[in-house]
Amino acid sequence: MKRRIIAMAAVSVTMVAALSACSRDGEGARRAADAEATSPWVQPPHVQTARRDGAMILVQGRAGPDARVVLRGADGAAVAVGADATGRFELRVPAAPGDIRLTPEVQVGEDAAPSPETLVLIRGGAGPIVLVASGEATVRLDGQGALDAVDSDGSAVIVSGRSNGAPPVVLIDGERAEVMRGPGGRWRARAPGGGAATIDIDGTRFAFPGLGAQSDFTPVRAGEGWRLTWPTGPSGRQTVWLPDRGA
């Protein structure tokens, strides 16, 4: 069954409140710390920034404290680093010519816990730099514009971007879409349908070309932007369209 994109609202983490309550009891705090230290769950890494730095790609993010973080290329080549005691990590990856696709993961012994996100640097970072994940809105890491990305699975579209102030007015084929706010000034809007559409962001118009035919992570030019499509199961696929900056 085709996996549909679902616009995800921010969810409060109630565990923080529970641990705060335990901190009033020293023994409770120690038990919580011991449970965390022996937990079988491994926190996958999360990339926060990525940019071209000369002949290297500088990638920064967070993982579990002291975790061994790996960025694995599509050809199997990998670069690894240890996160610090707070979980922060920084990796430098050689900037090979052409497009770069990297999968973050955490290694625990001989096992690996891959992130659901894939880091893609179009034209080696000269083009858009994005984090893509099936069923999720794409996160764009290169600069800021009126519109970051348009994701579609053929059944729905998610329009997303960032704003320093109030979220924008978003029209999709002339219909006003409800805009949901997220952390860091990010916003997104969802509408049914997945074909070509006209998208208006605070009066700036974009022509979304619709779902791509390819599904192998190969970026292609589409209209005034880049289109990237990848498989989401036996028969599904997801497309993201990334408008050129300055549009």
Side-chain angles (χ1 to χ4, degrees):
M1 181 180 292
K2 182 185 297 184
R3 184 175 182 180
R4 300 190 175 214
I5 298 177
I6 302 174
M8 301 296 293
V11 179
S12 297
V13 181
T14 57
M15 187 178 294
V16 173
L19 292 179
S20 296
C22 287
S23 68
R24 292 192 294 266
D25 180 344
E27 183 60 31
R30 284 192 295 273
R31 285 197 301 268
D34 291 343
E36 182 178 354
T38 59
S39 172
W41 301 106
V42 178
Q43 176 183 340
H46 172 62
V47 173
Q48 296 176 310
T49 65
R51 61 181 175 85
R52 183 73 175 256
D53 184 16
M56 307 295 285
I57 303 296
L58 176 63
V59 180
Q60 297 172 313
R62 295 190 67 90
D66 303 314
R68 180 174 173 80
V69 180
V70 178
L71 286 179
R72 193 172 301 281
D75 60 356
V79 177
V81 73
D84 66 17
T86 68
R88 296 185 182 277
F89 68 85
E90 178 177 301
L91 277 161
R92 291 183 178 270
V93 183
D99 306 314
I100 300 172
R101 173 159 52 100
L102 299 167
T103 301
E105 62 183 48
V106 163
Q107 285 187 341
V108 181
E110 296 182 355
D111 297 326
S115 168
E117 301 171 328
T118 299
L119 175 63
V120 180
L121 299 97
I122 296 176
R123 297 177 59 193
I129 302 174
V130 294
L131 285 170
V132 301
S134 297
E136 299 290 341
T138 292
V139 176
R140 193 160 178 177
L141 302 178
D142 60 303
Q144 185 170 342
L147 172 65
D148 277 356
V150 182
D151 286 89
S152 174
D153 66 351
S155 300
V157 293
I158 295 179
V159 180
S160 60
R162 285 165 290 173
S163 174
N164 294 327
V169 174
V170 177
L171 303 178
I172 303 176
D173 281 338
E175 296 291 329
R176 184 163 180 169
E178 180 182 0
V179 177
M180 295 177 292
R181 304 184 69 170
R186 296 190 183 276
W187 57 264
R188 65 181 65 178
R190 182 183 184 276
T198 299
I199 297 170
D200 188 289
I201 311 293
D202 276 345
T204 301
R205 184 165 293 183
F206 300 86
F208 171 54
L211 195 67
Q214 293 177 283
S215 59
D216 58 358
F217 278 99
T218 300
V220 296
R221 289 294 296 174
E224 296 183 359
W226 291 90
R227 182 165 58 191
L228 179 71
T229 305
W230 63 96
T232 59
S235 59
R237 66 186 190 274
Q238 182 173 330
T239 282
V240 62
W241 182 68
L242 307 159
D244 293 331
R245 288 307 194 197

